[in-house]
Amino acid sequence: MKFSVLTLFPEMFEPIKKSIIGKATEKNIIEINLINIRDFSEDKHKKVDDTPYGGGAGMVIMPDVVYRAYLSIPDRENAKVIYLTPQGTTFNQSKAEELSKNNNHIILLCGHYEGIDQRVINKIVDEEISIGDYVLTGGELPAMVVIDTLSRYIDGVLNKESIQEETFSNGLLEYPQYTRPETFLNEKVPDVLLSGHHENIKKWREDQSLTITKQKRPDLLKKT
Ligand code: 4GT
């Protein structure tokens, strides 16, 4: 799966090159292609933004610079273009699964300042996504959230079991995990987990998932 990111701050994506996603890019399972929108400014001072028509605070990214950056992506015709914006559909696990299963190439457009001129959004964007109801200074963190979440569905990024057994794959929160030592600050690991009785362990974990979901996120149980 390929991600092409249109951004004014490609340096912000350094952390995602590490860890699990980094390993996947080394194995060529995932490709992250960073495009610096500023490289497509034709202004002598590399200007990419200007004051909003109609007045108001801040700066708006100019449409032509973004459009040239988009046109520089060779295989753009077969890609889905997603604009990260608080106005988008709220991102969740099922959206992530759907996007990863139906796309080989996703172009992520990141805004900054007051946003991007609406005309280039109208021209190139297929879908708008928000990662939640709060305002950020840019779309870069949301783009990384989308890349990380989708990547977990790509074969070879994780082992299969860890995808299925986790939080949300069954619509429930995950059961608690324990590792050595057997006793920590007087608290023992639940006996059932040391019993080796696989059926009982499975039942205990299912019960824990349901109980914890009822306690912490009852809203998840009311969903269809
Ligand atoms: C929040 C989100 C997002 C922003 C979100 C354009 C200029 C939008 C700044 C950007 N804030 N983007 N994608 N909740 N801010 O997803």
Side-chain angles (χ1 to χ4, degrees), residues 61 83-88 109-116 129-143:
I61 301 172
Y83 178 44
L84 289 314
T85 164
Q87 298 183 15
L109 175 59
C110 305
H112 229 90
Y113 316 116
E114 302 313 308
I116 301 175
I129 288 180
S130 163
I131 63 160
D133 289 338
Y134 38 81
V135 181
L136 299 164
T137 57
E140 284 77 11
L141 289 167

Side-chain angles (χ1 to χ4, degrees), residues 37 72 151 183 200 223:
I37 294 171
S72 79
S151 296
T183 304
N200 285 355
K223 280 190 190 157

Side-chain angles (χ1 to χ4, degrees), residues 209-220:
S209 278
L210 195 59
T211 304
I212 289 163
T213 307
K214 276 180 190 158
Q215 265 170 23
K216 297 185 176 175
R217 291 294 307 276
D219 58 301
L220 292 176

Side-chain angles (χ1 to χ4, degrees), residues 147-185:
I147 292 170
D148 194 288
T149 315
L150 267 59
S151 296
R152 296 178 68 267
Y153 285 101
I154 309 302
D155 255 4
V157 174
L158 297 181
N159 50 50
K160 270 234 167 66
E161 308 82 68
S162 46
I163 296 183
Q164 290 170 355
E165 288 194 7
E166 270 173 357
T167 299
F168 294 127
S169 52
N170 56 2
L172 299 177
L173 300 179
E174 206 182 358
Y175 50 80
Q177 301 279 11
Y178 298 87
T179 186
R180 274 181 285 275
E182 224 177 278
T183 304
F184 170 70
L185 300 178

Side-chain angles (χ1 to χ4, degrees), residues 42-222:
E42 290 179 349
D43 177 87
K44 60 175 181 282
H45 298 111
K46 293 271 170 219
K47 185 180 162 70
V48 292
D49 55 3
D50 209 332
T51 53
Y53 276 120
M59 300 293 269
V60 177
I61 301 172
M62 297 182 292
D64 58 312
V65 194
V66 173
Y67 193 55
R68 283 192 297 274
Y70 165 75
L71 291 178
S72 79
I73 304 171
D75 45 352
R76 63 186 175 277
E77 293 302 347
N78 300 310
K80 165 163 278 187
V81 181
I82 296 175
Y83 178 44
L84 289 314
T85 164
Q87 298 183 15
T89 315
T90 310
F91 193 54
N92 61 21
Q93 199 68 48
S94 63
K95 185 77 210 170
E97 183 169 16
E98 181 249 299
L99 286 172
S100 73
K101 293 195 169 150
N102 297 322
N103 299 282
N104 290 317
H105 184 190
I106 290 180
I107 299 174
L108 297 162
L109 175 59
C110 305
H112 229 90
Y113 316 116
E114 302 313 308
I116 301 175
D117 187 300
Q118 188 62 40
R119 292 166 293 179
V120 71
I121 296 169
N122 295 346
K123 190 85 190 164
I124 71 172
V125 171
D126 298 310
E127 191 167 336
E128 296 186 338
I129 288 180
S130 163
I131 63 160
D133 289 338
Y134 38 81
V135 181
L136 299 164
T137 57
E140 284 77 11
L141 289 167
M144 284 185 264
V145 166
V146 169
I147 292 170
D148 194 288
T149 315
L150 267 59
S151 296
R152 296 178 68 267
Y153 285 101
I154 309 302
D155 255 4
V157 174
L158 297 181
N159 50 50
K160 270 234 167 66
E161 308 82 68
S162 46
I163 296 183
Q164 290 170 355
E165 288 194 7
E166 270 173 357
T167 299
F168 294 127
S169 52
N170 56 2
L172 299 177
L173 300 179
E174 206 182 358
Y175 50 80
Q177 301 279 11
Y178 298 87
T179 186
R180 274 181 285 275
E182 224 177 278
T183 304
F184 170 70
L185 300 178
N186 278 330
E187 185 175 347
K188 207 170 166 281
V189 171
D191 283 328
V192 62
L193 299 178
L194 308 172
S195 70
H197 195 303
H198 298 299
E199 200 183 314
N200 285 355
I201 292 172
K202 187 166 177 279
K203 260 190 271 166
W204 181 84
R205 285 176 166 170
E206 284 166 0
D207 178 68
Q208 286 288 312
S209 278
L210 195 59
T211 304
I212 289 163
T213 307
K214 276 180 190 158
Q215 265 170 23
K216 297 185 176 175
R217 291 294 307 276
D219 58 301
L220 292 176
L221 296 167
K222 286 166 197 137

